[in-house]
Amino acid sequence: MTHYPKPPFKPQQQPVPGDQRKMEPMPDCGEQSYKGSGRMANKIALITGADSGIGRAVAIAFAREGADVAVSYLDEHEDAKETARWVEAAGRQCLLLPGDLGEAAQCSAIVNDTVKQFGRIDVLVNNAAFQMTYKSLEDIPDEDWVKTFNVNITAMFRICKAALPHMAEGSSIINTTSVNSDMPNPSLLPYAATKGAIANFTAGLAQMLGERGIRVNSVAPGPIWTPLIVSTMTEDMVKEFGGNTPLGRPGQPVEVAPIYVLLASDEGSYISGERYGVTGGKPIL
């Protein structure tokens, strides 16, 4: 068994969106540990927010399972290049797609560029997210509320809509929600609201796309040690991050990736409309 780090963690605030290379301890995205077994041989996957954290772990896992990967990210170029290095080391192709998913044109562009490079999309992982912490409702600027919804849920709608013409029967859509979807942290009010919307969107879209043979599921992580944490939370929140879970620690990105592999692979062929928690023991109901 791997013994992952427990709090307390050292102070390490960073500017948004954060740099994984500067985190202590460094998040484990499976670079040294994930072993594939051909469960996604020759599939094409588009993953948003895949420069670091959960997205990187999923990209590495997919590549080691045999998939080529398109990596959408904001502007964390060095982190994204590191993800590409691991994908290519697995013998798979990696396409880097920088840009702001809060813009409608970028949502279409990442789909078009992926299809231009690879010809189709077999797996779409909507994982990119924005969050900030606030002490009160009055502290939330209108522009932050709008940005959070644009990046977290409106972009998801736009990307799904653009990708569907390029997805055949048997394809899979996986959306990242959160334990906050039904246990909202008040300091993350805009983020938590979008995560509830994602859970609902996923459940409805699964029913809408069932007749096309396209499966739609969501993954609800609990506290996972990623750059989003150190770039958006207070020093005190970072220090004790994940300590309130039954397992007493935050999860590592590599611990989340296997459920994405199951939902993306043909082994998950009868799984659709579901939400899977990876929460360290925190229940989702």
Side-chain angles (χ1 to χ4, degrees):
M1 176 180 176
T2 301
H3 294 281
Y4 291 112
K6 292 187 174 184
F9 298 108
K10 63 176 291 186
Q12 51 187 295
Q13 269 54 52
Q14 296 187 26
V16 177
D19 185 338
Q20 181 156 306
R21 299 168 303 157
K22 297 178 181 178
M23 292 178 66
E24 294 184 34
M26 180 82 79
D28 184 349
C29 293
E31 293 94 339
Q32 307 299 333
S33 61
Y34 189 92
K35 294 179 173 59
S37 55
R39 298 163 75 190
M40 295 180 63
N42 300 315
K43 289 186 182 291
I44 306 300
L46 168 58
I47 309 170
T48 69
D51 56 287
S52 62
I54 293 172
R56 177 186 289 180
V58 173
I60 291 171
F62 280 11
R64 292 183 184 174
E65 296 290 353
D68 293 323
V69 182
V71 169
S72 166
Y73 66 101
L74 181 59
D75 59 6
E76 310 90 324
H77 302 297
E78 293 306 312
D79 274 348
K81 289 176 184 176
E82 182 70 2
T83 298
R85 186 174 75 82
W86 287 107
V87 169
E88 290 166 356
R92 308 309 305 182
Q93 296 182 63
C94 186
L95 175 66
L96 296 181
L97 301 167
D100 184 358
L101 295 180
E103 303 294 332
Q106 181 65 11
C107 296
S108 299
I110 64 169
V111 170
N112 293 338
D113 290 348
T114 300
V115 173
K116 182 179 179 181
Q117 176 78 11
F118 298 117
R120 67 184 191 279
I121 297 172
D122 300 312
V123 181
L124 170 61
V125 177
N126 289 300
N127 173 70
F130 173 78
Q131 72 174 33
M132 292 296 293
T133 54
Y134 309 93
K135 292 182 179 179
S136 69
L137 186 66
E138 291 83 356
D139 287 338
I140 304 173
D142 279 11
E143 55 268 28
D144 280 15
W145 182 271
V146 171
K147 178 178 180 177
T148 307
F149 272 78
N150 276 348
V151 173
N152 295 9
I153 181 66
T154 303
M156 190 173 293
F157 157 74
R158 289 168 171 163
I159 295 166
C160 286
K161 190 175 179 181
L164 276 173
H166 311 287
M167 302 183 77
E169 182 178 358
S171 297
S172 174
I173 297 172
I174 309 168
N175 301 323
T176 302
T177 177
S178 168
V179 69
N180 279 281
S181 59
D182 65 358
M183 296 176 59
N185 182 335
S187 68
L188 293 169
L189 184 61
Y191 172 85
T194 65
K195 292 302 180 175
I198 291 167
N200 194 290
F201 174 76
T202 300
L205 187 62
Q207 296 173 76
M208 185 177 284
L209 299 183
E211 63 182 15
R212 301 195 203 183
I214 297 174
R215 298 179 296 107
V216 190
N217 294 284
S218 66
V219 177
I224 307 298
W225 187 243
T226 73
L228 196 64
I229 304 309
V230 297
S231 65
T232 65
M233 292 188 169
T234 66
E235 199 170 284
D236 288 344
M237 294 169 77
V238 171
K239 180 180 178 181
E240 299 301 328
F241 185 70
N244 63 345
T245 65
L247 291 184
R249 64 171 178 85
Q252 295 293 321
V254 67
E255 297 180 280
V256 190
I259 189 65
Y260 287 84
V261 172
L262 170 63
L263 297 174
S265 72
D266 294 340
E267 293 174 355
S269 58
Y270 199 60
I271 302 173
S272 193
E274 298 301 323
R275 182 170 58 133
Y276 290 86
V278 187
T279 67
K282 280 192 170 186
I284 59 170
L285 302 175

